[in-house]
Amino acid sequence: MCTYLVGGAVRDALLGWPVTDRDWVVVGATPGHMLAQGFVPVGKDFPVFLHPQTHDEFALARTERKTAPGYHGFAVHAAPDVTLEEDLARRDITVNAMAVAACHVHSDGQWDAHHLIDPYGGAQDLAARVFRHVSPAFREDPVRILRVARLAARFADFTVAPETLQLMRDMVAVGEVDHLVPERVWQELARGLMEVKPSRMFEVLRDCGALIKLLPEVDALWGVAQRADYHPEVDTGIHVMMVLDMSARLQAPLPVRLACLCHDLGKGNTPPHILPRHLGHEQRSAQLLKSLCERLRVPTDCRELADVVAREHSNIHRSPELDAAALVRLLERCDALRKPERFAQVLLACECDARGRLGYFDSPYPQRQRLLNVFATMQSVETKSIASNAMASGASGQKVGGLIHQARIRAVQMALLLSP
């Protein structure tokens, strides 16, 4: 029984990146061998075990054979006679198909260069910053298209080998991506959104033709003109990618990054005769966002934040022009007082939008702090005393709500007068 460190842990160590997760392949073993040594079984589709102390994943060496379209149509063969080279051959790209025997991995996680097992040229591709498929079997799993795109967002200076990009295009052309289950698509997209340059994921998906299949609402944004005085980059697709990368630069959480991706979806179906203006795109964005989130089964916190940003980002941008009453209504529509953390994320997404424009990357966004000040002022209003006094006078609930609303407007008016 031989154990090998494989995959991303080897790749990242060679790149000098920190290694947080280590995956191991065990050659020459059976599930019985693993259980006898105290390993905990966790795999459903193939034999994977957790180490009893480190909780690292140990998988039995296996091969896979396509039996039906889509992600789940595979026959897995895991047996003691499967070699390491056969196991590595089933992996997606060469930089993920390297290994080191466990006995050669030092306590610091490093190893001597001559101990690297690299049957498919992964080290050479790593040095050349190229993603290249290991074998034609790459075409058997459409998730690999998403995985390559996601890795491009993490390793932004890597390119996809021409032959691999063509293989991805061929897979799209024969309908492989049509069989992807929504949960897996969202899982990979969410991981890619959280990488250092998420725009690269969408560039790769667009280059291979998968974006129009998976996210047609986003794909439609390229080639749509915007007013150059507001958007020097002009193209809406380019703008959205700049906004997305700004969200990564500002280390925004996932809900903010999805909101940045989807805030301008409505510009993709603006009536041609009014271009480059986009009147009413906010409501159209919210409508398209709803169908996108339902299709991919996006988590509630992500879809709710993205909905607020889609509907209100233009109002937030122009908030310096609003009077106290309009500001209070804006924050009420954002449900800021009940969901203050979400409101802070809404403002962060809007800052990403404003700065995700050509020439504005380092520009200030005073609207964010101003609206946080308005929020603090509204929050300081003594609503309980207003309500108790009004109810003692026999006021209805609607009347009480109106009195609180007016009190907040007066407080904001006073704060605006006193602000520099």
Side-chain angles (χ1 to χ4, degrees):
M1 189 171 83
C2 299
T3 303
Y4 301 87
L5 182 67
V6 295
V10 177
R11 176 200 67 216
D12 290 350
L14 290 174
L15 287 170
W17 285 47
V19 177
T20 55
D21 296 316
R22 289 176 172 82
D23 294 329
W24 305 84
V25 161
V26 183
V27 176
T30 66
H33 292 141
M34 304 299 287
L35 293 173
Q37 296 185 53
F39 284 82
V40 180
V42 292
K44 294 181 180 179
D45 299 323
F46 42 82
V48 177
F49 302 82
L50 295 184
H51 190 281
Q53 279 81 45
T54 67
H55 303 293
D56 286 351
E57 284 194 1
F58 286 68
L60 298 188
R62 68 184 189 272
T63 59
E64 297 172 349
R65 180 173 52 86
K66 184 88 165 184
T67 58
Y71 170 64
H72 293 290
F74 286 92
V76 175
H77 173 66
D81 62 343
V82 177
T83 67
L84 175 65
E85 288 73 17
E86 289 174 326
D87 183 273
L88 295 176
R90 68 173 177 78
R91 297 175 185 271
D92 47 8
I93 50 179
T94 60
V95 299
N96 290 340
M98 297 179 284
V100 181
C103 60
H104 294 142
V105 179
H106 306 318
S107 58
D108 62 357
Q110 300 299 309
W111 56 85
D112 297 331
H114 65 276
H115 287 137
L116 179 69
I117 301 170
D118 183 19
Y120 304 107
Q124 182 177 343
D125 284 339
L126 203 64
R129 297 296 194 264
V130 172
F131 294 131
R132 190 188 317 277
H133 61 284
V134 174
S135 75
F138 180 98
R139 69 168 62 246
E140 296 180 352
D141 185 358
V143 173
R144 289 171 174 168
I145 294 175
L146 290 168
R147 195 176 296 131
V148 169
R150 171 172 59 80
L151 286 174
R154 179 183 302 179
F155 305 108
D157 59 339
F158 277 61
T159 60
V160 181
E163 62 271 27
T164 301
L165 184 60
Q166 185 57 54
L167 182 57
M168 292 163 65
R169 288 171 177 162
D170 293 343
M171 293 168 67
V172 173
V174 299
E176 278 289 341
V177 297
D178 300 334
H179 298 287
L180 287 168
V181 295
E183 293 85 355
R184 193 59 194 271
V185 174
W186 169 248
Q187 179 185 14
E188 294 294 332
L189 287 176
R191 294 177 68 183
L193 285 170
M194 293 306 296
E195 296 293 359
V196 64
K197 194 174 179 63
S199 65
R200 283 285 292 132
M201 174 171 63
F202 296 95
E203 289 171 11
V204 170
L205 291 176
R206 188 164 176 259
D207 284 347
C208 73
L211 188 61
I212 194 171
K213 297 276 191 176
L214 300 173
L215 295 170
E217 305 91 344
V218 176
D219 186 79
L221 299 177
W222 273 268
V224 177
Q226 304 170 105
R227 286 177 53 177
D229 51 338
Y230 289 131
H231 290 278
E233 69 283 355
V234 179
D235 189 288
T236 305
I238 294 174
H239 163 62
V240 168
M241 294 298 102
M242 294 167 73
V243 175
L244 195 52
D245 286 342
M246 181 58 66
S247 73
R249 177 181 171 184
L250 298 183
Q251 299 182 320
L254 177 60
V256 172
R257 299 195 189 198
L258 178 69
C260 288
L261 175 68
C262 298
H263 75 285
D264 272 347
L265 292 180
K267 291 182 177 179
N269 61 11
T270 295
H273 69 276
I274 68 170
L275 291 174
R277 298 181 301 159
H278 291 277
L279 302 177
H281 80 275
E282 298 87 356
Q283 294 302 315
R284 297 196 303 276
S285 295
Q287 292 169 1
L288 290 167
L289 170 72
K290 181 180 178 182
S291 62
L292 182 155
C293 289
E294 289 176 351
R295 185 173 71 249
L296 296 184
R297 300 173 191 173
V298 173
T300 301
D301 62 330
C302 290
R303 70 169 70 189
E304 287 185 350
L305 177 69
D307 179 71
V308 175
V309 173
R311 294 178 186 277
E312 301 294 348
H313 67 276
S314 296
N315 292 323
I316 289 172
H317 292 331
R318 66 172 69 99
S319 60
E321 307 166 11
L322 303 180
D323 62 16
L327 288 170
V328 170
R329 290 195 300 271
L330 171 60
L331 267 68
E332 287 175 345
R333 291 197 303 274
C334 293
D335 205 7
L337 292 171
R338 285 200 320 121
K339 299 183 178 180
E341 291 184 6
R342 190 184 74 179
F343 181 60
Q345 293 184 344
V346 168
L347 296 180
L348 177 56
C350 290
E351 179 174 351
C352 295
D353 181 28
R355 294 174 60 184
R357 296 178 293 163
L358 194 62
Y360 289 84
F361 302 143
D362 297 310
S363 297
Y365 189 66
Q367 292 93 325
R368 185 180 177 188
Q369 187 57 54
R370 186 171 187 264
L371 289 176
L372 287 174
N373 293 342
V374 170
F375 165 77
T377 300
M378 292 174 60
Q379 198 176 39
S380 70
V381 173
E382 292 290 341
T383 57
K384 288 185 179 179
S385 61
I386 296 173
S388 61
N389 291 337
M391 293 177 70
S393 306
S396 65
Q398 184 176 6
K399 177 68 172 177
V400 171
L403 291 171
I404 291 173
H405 176 77
Q406 291 302 318
R408 287 170 174 162
I409 292 175
R410 288 193 298 272
V412 172
Q413 282 174 330
M414 183 61 67
L416 294 177
L417 287 173
L418 296 175
S419 63

